[in-house]
Amino acid sequence: MIKSNYTRITTKTLQEMKFNGEKIAMLTAYDFTLAGIIDQAGIDIILVGDSASNVMAGHETTLPITLDQMIYHASSVVRSVQRALVVVDLPFGTYQADSKEALRSAIRIMKESGAHAVKLEGGKEVKDSIERILKAGIPVMGHLGLTPQSIYKFGSYTVRAKEEEEAAQLIEDAELLQGIGCFGIVLEKIPADLAANVAAKIKIPVIGIGAGNKVDGQVLVLHDMLGMSKTFSPRFLRRYLDLNKNISKAVESYTIDVKSGDFPNNKEQY
Ligand code: KIV
């Protein structure tokens, strides 16, 4: 495990890390086993992302995943985590309609999963929802730039905020999220210079994905950085393993051993 000054990550320690210039490492997880491994390895934040909709359930977008499904994933993760801060995405349709529904959704996540914070997508359009959740004592992380729950508005997963107007709106939204009390912001797939500008302007931690390295930390989808998928290859993704190949090889070997009668051998039986 990586040496760290912190035995438990909280929203306060994340703020300290930004203040001290210590980068924050964040990954997604959706289940007990992998969450336990990445927690033990020293990850700072575990995001139970609505990317579970793609990665775990095989949906094309993040839109179909439900609150109950997010709570199931989050409670599995929380059961194995001892150090990391566990943040859970509020899924599409559970916070946009009105702030009371947003609060009810956030309360269900906190109460039924034991997670430590929620994340939701958007800026000024979800201000009321965020404020109401924060008033109930629930820490909130923002998410700006490419916000996958709005994919049908954007039309594609290309880089956001390249134009001046959208970049100015993003900066305004980041300042608003800080102003109302969010403890951090994810910036997804925006120009590196813009992300650097936001991270320098605001005092809360800014975590990037496809947003360059002049921000306060990085997040990736665990299954992507482990190389589980052969097809998903955005420029920002660094693969640290080729698990797709390794798992295939292991399963091939197992199948050959079973079919040949080699498995189990004498030592592997009672
Ligand atoms: O759902 C998710 O995995 C996310 C990350 C990509 C930031 O929101």
Side-chain angles (χ1 to χ4, degrees):
M1 182 172 172
I2 289 161
K3 251 186 112 196
S4 164
N5 294 331
Y6 305 107
T7 50
R8 181 110 228 180
I9 303 296
T10 65
T11 55
K12 235 176 153 187
T13 57
L14 294 174
Q15 191 59 64
E16 264 174 49
M17 286 163 87
K18 167 148 182 160
F19 186 75
N20 295 329
E22 183 185 342
K23 295 269 188 183
I24 297 162
M26 171 167 167
L27 282 171
T28 64
Y30 320 104
D31 70 280
F32 176 87
T33 306
L34 286 176
I37 294 171
I38 67 173
D39 184 52
Q40 290 283 313
I43 201 74
D44 297 312
I45 307 177
I46 296 181
L47 172 66
V48 184
D50 58 358
S51 50
S53 179
N54 313 103
V55 175
M56 304 303 288
H59 293 296
E60 207 175 304
T61 73
T62 56
L63 276 66
I65 199 159
T66 66
L67 189 57
D68 283 339
Q69 288 165 341
M70 288 302 295
I71 289 168
Y72 168 77
H73 287 298
S75 57
S76 308
V77 165
V78 166
R79 278 193 285 275
S80 69
V81 170
Q82 282 165 11
R83 177 180 175 276
L85 184 87
V86 179
V87 181
V88 182
D89 267 336
L90 280 176
F92 177 68
T94 66
Y95 61 93
Q96 293 94 341
D98 68 69
S99 62
K100 279 191 185 160
E101 189 184 8
L103 176 59
R104 271 194 292 272
S105 306
I107 287 176
R108 277 203 61 202
I109 286 181
M110 301 299 283
K111 224 179 167 61
E112 295 176 40
S113 77
H116 311 130
V118 298
K119 172 166 87 58
L120 53 90
E121 296 181 4
K124 67 173 189 299
E125 66 279 15
V126 287
K127 176 175 174 277
D128 291 351
S129 293
I130 295 178
E131 282 182 322
R132 200 178 270 265
I133 296 169
L134 285 167
K135 254 193 218 142
I138 300 171
V140 177
M141 186 171 218
H143 184 154
L144 300 172
L146 177 66
T147 46
Q149 292 179 11
S150 306
I151 183 58
Y152 292 117
K153 182 176 96 181
F154 297 147
S156 79
Y157 289 100
T158 51
V159 180
R160 303 301 313 170
K162 278 166 117 177
E163 308 303 327
E164 226 172 86
E165 197 181 325
E166 197 181 338
Q169 183 61 57
L170 188 141
I171 294 171
E172 209 177 284
D173 280 338
E175 284 174 332
L176 177 134
L177 293 178
Q178 164 172 262
I180 60 178
C182 288
F183 72 88
I185 301 175
V186 167
L187 292 182
E188 181 163 353
K189 229 171 169 186
I190 62 167
D193 284 349
L194 173 61
N197 186 3
V198 173
K201 252 193 167 76
I202 67 173
K203 294 197 164 42
I204 55 173
V206 172
I207 312 293
I209 173 165
N213 70 3
K214 300 273 184 304
V215 288
D216 307 306
Q218 299 292 327
V219 57
L220 284 175
V221 169
L222 180 63
H223 290 61
D224 296 340
M225 63 82 84
L226 294 178
M228 300 278 262
S229 157
K230 280 204 265 196
T231 50
F232 184 64
S233 286
R235 189 201 293 197
F236 66 76
L237 175 62
R238 186 180 293 181
R239 287 191 172 85
Y240 287 82
L241 276 180
D242 189 352
L243 269 194
N244 190 297
K245 198 159 113 198
N246 289 349
I247 292 173
S248 289
K249 270 193 180 161
V251 172
E252 247 178 67
S253 301
Y254 168 75
T255 306
I256 289 168
D257 290 352
V258 169
K259 290 189 184 291
S260 68
D262 180 68
F263 176 79
N265 64 23
N266 285 345
K267 285 192 198 142
E268 292 164 331
Q269 63 190 18
Y270 301 98

